[in-house]
Amino acid sequence: MAEPDPILVNDWHAVVELDFLASRGSFETVLLGVPIEIAESGEGSGEVRVSRRDTHAPLPARIRYGHVFTSIGQPNRDIVHFPECHEADRIHVTGGSIAVHVSGLRAVENFLDMGHFPFVHTDYLGVEPHTEVEPYEVTVTEEDEILATKCRFFQPLASPSADGGMMVDYEYRVARPYTVCLYKSNPIEPERWDFIVLFVQPVSEERCIAHPYLSYLAHNLDNETNRWFMQLIFAQDKPILENQLPKRLPLDPRAEVPARSDASSLSYRRWLAAQGVTYGAIPAAA
């Protein structure tokens, strides 16, 4: 097994939903090949402790966005800040933790892909014959994040609050190798965005756990409806992801034939290579 890259070792990763941990008191999982345990520090304390199960060494722990975050190294930057997740007029809810037998990098790339909407999420995020992905722009920002803008796609049911089909505006942001989010136009307040972030926990090079977190403008929605919608969409993605071969993500742009709609995917692969990420990837030949 490959050793995790320093940029991954020294970063924060979501490892369990806080509500799920509260229902059990403790939970065991694996992060970057390292077995860990998460446990409540004391009843009603609101604090958690994380430790390695192989050496019993304590690990850093923080609670944010409805999840427990930890690192197997020494984090040299904070968890990514998403201001939408702190706005009072939104529904904030976790979307369930989904184990997927594929590299976490594949899961991030799938999240960026609009081209599969009509075929995988039929009658929800897409429908034939509306299959064309219009040209969009992809840049690497001054903060060294990937930003895809001017993304538009016809969706028959863009969100739980939508009433009929509509053209939806999207923006995608890759903030960390395993952290990706999207902003999508709200059907009731088109000048504002609904927001979804996907924290992908790399269990190993070929296994991951996806932890979605949603911040939707309320508009008579409830937590259960939002959570159901997210789980429905990811349940449709899971078998597609698990049937992808190879399980790891090839970084060589010649390894898989891209389409015009794959601009964000190609940028993501180049960006990973520039970041020095090899864990969960197949590096490009020198």
Side-chain angles (χ1 to χ4, degrees):
M1 295 294 292
E3 288 295 319
D5 310 295
I7 191 174
L8 305 179
V9 169
N10 297 311
D11 201 1
W12 294 97
H13 302 272
V15 289
V16 68
E17 286 181 291
L18 189 59
D19 286 347
F20 182 76
L21 177 65
S23 70
R24 298 179 54 139
S26 65
F27 180 68
E28 295 181 351
T29 187
V30 177
L31 173 62
L32 294 166
V34 175
I36 64 174
E37 180 182 21
I38 308 104
E40 293 182 311
S41 292
E43 186 175 350
S45 70
E47 298 181 356
V48 298
R49 53 181 170 79
V50 183
S51 59
R52 295 181 63 131
R53 285 189 283 133
D54 51 357
T55 66
H56 306 291
L59 298 174
R62 289 188 183 175
I63 297 172
R64 203 165 299 176
Y65 309 126
H67 291 86
V68 177
F69 286 76
T70 192
S71 172
I72 62 170
Q74 299 295 325
N76 48 27
R77 51 185 174 175
D78 198 3
I79 300 166
V80 183
H81 176 62
F82 298 113
E84 294 80 6
C85 298
H86 303 281
E87 294 177 354
D89 64 341
R90 292 176 178 269
I91 293 289
H92 307 288
V93 60
T94 56
S97 298
I98 305 98
V100 190
H101 186 190
V102 76
S103 165
L105 305 178
R106 285 276 196 196
V108 171
E109 185 181 65
N110 178 77
F111 193 82
L112 295 170
D113 176 31
M114 292 181 289
H116 76 288
F117 286 172
F119 311 106
V120 178
H121 307 299
T122 308
D123 295 330
Y124 291 99
L125 302 186
V127 65
E128 296 185 79
H130 303 280
T131 60
E132 180 182 4
V133 178
E134 299 181 4
Y136 58 93
E137 297 181 1
V138 184
T139 59
V140 178
T141 69
E142 293 182 358
E143 293 76 25
D144 200 17
E145 298 180 347
I146 296 175
L147 189 64
T149 59
K150 300 182 179 178
C151 307
R152 303 190 79 233
F153 205 83
F154 178 84
Q155 296 187 332
L157 185 63
S159 77
S161 63
D163 183 18
M166 59 181 289
M167 289 298 295
V168 178
D169 295 310
Y170 274 83
E171 289 189 359
Y172 290 90
R173 173 187 172 196
V174 182
R176 303 280 168 85
Y178 286 92
T179 301
V180 59
C181 62
L182 70 82
Y183 307 82
K184 59 192 301 185
S185 54
N186 181 272
I188 299 175
E189 294 186 63
E191 73 283 1
R192 297 181 68 190
W193 302 92
D194 286 327
F195 177 81
I196 301 173
V197 58
L198 189 68
F199 302 108
V200 180
Q201 173 188 342
V203 173
S204 67
E205 287 206 274
E206 297 187 353
R207 292 184 181 273
C208 68
I209 301 173
H211 304 281
Y213 188 77
L214 302 85
S215 290
Y216 274 32
L217 295 166
H219 299 304
N220 298 318
L221 292 177
D222 56 69
N223 287 357
E224 290 75 17
T225 300
N226 269 1
R227 186 177 173 93
W228 167 84
F229 190 77
M230 186 72 241
Q231 291 180 340
L232 169 70
I233 297 302
F234 214 98
Q236 295 172 333
D237 279 321
K238 179 180 166 75
I240 306 301
L241 279 167
E242 294 189 329
N243 279 295
Q244 287 187 319
L245 293 174
K247 295 288 188 184
R248 291 178 292 153
L249 181 68
L251 300 187
D252 191 329
R254 299 164 297 181
E256 296 175 338
V257 179
R260 185 183 67 179
S261 62
D262 294 329
S264 58
S265 171
L266 293 173
S267 293
Y268 177 57
R269 295 185 187 204
R270 289 193 295 265
W271 181 79
L272 289 171
Q275 297 272 331
V277 175
T278 61
Y279 192 85
I282 301 174

